[in-house]
Amino acid sequence: MSAKKILIVEDEQPIREMIAFLLSRAGYETIEARDSREAREQIADNRPDLALVDWMLPDISGLELTRMLKRDEDYEDLAVIMLTARAEERDKVSGLDGGADDYITKPFSPRELVARIQAVLRRAGSSSDEVVTAGVLQLDTAGHRVLASGKEIRLGPTEYRLLQFLMTHPERVYSRTQLLDRVWGANVYVEERTVDVHIRRLRKALSDAGADDYIQTVRGAGYRFSVKDV
């Protein structure tokens, strides 16, 4: 199996080289970019499996780069992890709302970095050979796509994994902590608020098909997937 390819978008060369060294030791192939312009060129030419994007870049911010990628249907499925010194909750939520699949605050340990990359790639690439149908939705795990009344709905890797879990466990309420363990992984340290952000993005993606109400909020308990009216 070929090594997964990671794009490192970081304007500070020592940090970029340090991350590349850590990831190479972990068995990943790395490519580098100093700013968003180089990042877009590398993405177009090399099609990485995941991008590590620093928030502060010299041309446009990493957040704006992530938003641009997620608006482009050619790159919206690219997994993105934001790297930043910003530790405030509102900044983390902004990064996730902008399309990032995860968020790592500097400084971080090599072990944490590799664990988070593994978790995001696992979510992005997980599939099994089955088709799950619920209401107007059809989730094709072999083809890694979701259809609504026969029309494909484009989802990011985290939203896909979240919908896959909920569709295969319908009519049961899961707390945010349970969803973090089942979808993100028990050894990945992500705030509970992350679940709310991705639920909101998933509902938005399903709204055109009239399926956003399949993801139901159970006040004080968590979330449930159901095609029944609440």
Side-chain angles (χ1 to χ4, degrees):
M1 182 180 297
S2 60
K4 294 290 186 180
K5 188 180 300 182
I6 310 295
L7 170 63
I8 306 164
V9 189
E10 166 65 63
D11 62 313
E12 296 189 35
Q13 183 176 351
I15 296 177
R16 195 171 65 245
E17 292 179 348
M18 179 270 291
I19 294 174
F21 174 73
L22 293 174
L23 296 185
S24 296
R25 287 189 60 185
Y28 294 105
E29 178 184 348
T30 62
I31 52 178
E32 301 177 23
R34 296 170 295 180
D35 54 33
S36 63
R37 181 188 61 80
E38 284 191 4
R40 291 194 297 270
E41 291 175 354
Q42 292 280 27
I43 291 169
D45 294 341
N46 294 291
R47 305 297 298 192
D49 298 288
L50 181 145
L52 292 173
V53 180
D54 185 54
W55 188 302
M56 300 297 292
L57 295 174
D59 45 5
I60 64 172
S61 72
L63 178 60
E64 183 57 32
L65 171 61
T66 301
R67 287 172 174 159
M68 291 171 60
L69 292 172
K70 295 300 182 177
R71 289 195 296 263
D72 189 327
E73 65 179 18
D74 290 332
Y75 307 123
E76 64 182 355
D77 291 336
L78 174 65
V80 176
I81 297 178
M82 295 286 297
L83 300 177
T84 177
R86 296 170 179 258
E88 296 293 327
E89 181 184 34
R90 63 176 179 272
D91 295 319
K92 295 180 181 181
V93 172
S94 294
L96 293 168
D97 273 339
D101 297 281
D102 203 353
Y103 187 109
I104 303 179
T105 303
K106 298 176 181 177
F108 49 82
S109 70
R111 181 177 297 180
E112 178 189 13
L113 177 63
V114 171
R116 286 178 179 264
I117 289 173
Q118 289 174 339
V120 171
L121 288 174
R122 188 166 57 245
R123 298 199 300 269
S126 62
S127 65
S128 58
D129 295 328
E130 64 175 317
V131 175
V132 182
T133 301
V136 301
L137 296 181
Q138 186 178 69
L139 187 141
D140 177 5
T141 55
H144 201 78
R145 62 177 185 165
V146 177
L147 305 177
S149 301
K151 183 177 180 181
E152 185 170 359
I153 296 176
R154 294 187 177 274
L155 298 176
T158 302
E159 286 70 45
Y160 176 88
R161 178 65 174 161
L162 183 58
L163 180 62
Q164 180 184 30
F165 176 77
L166 290 171
M167 284 185 68
T168 53
H169 299 81
E171 306 299 339
R172 176 177 172 179
V173 178
Y174 288 91
S175 68
R176 292 171 178 83
T177 300
Q178 288 173 321
L179 288 173
L180 286 174
D181 287 344
R182 301 294 188 89
V183 178
W184 277 259
N187 296 319
V188 178
Y189 303 102
V190 180
E191 295 182 0
E192 289 189 1
R193 181 71 180 273
T194 301
V195 176
D196 299 330
V197 172
H198 286 286
I199 287 285
R200 185 162 64 248
R201 284 161 55 180
L202 177 56
R203 282 174 170 158
K204 182 178 180 181
L206 299 177
S207 61
D208 287 344
D212 50 313
D213 59 355
Y214 290 3
I215 312 295
Q216 300 169 359
T217 301
V218 181
R219 187 176 298 276
Y223 296 101
R224 169 180 60 209
F225 181 90
S226 177
V227 298
K228 303 174 183 176
D229 293 333
V230 293

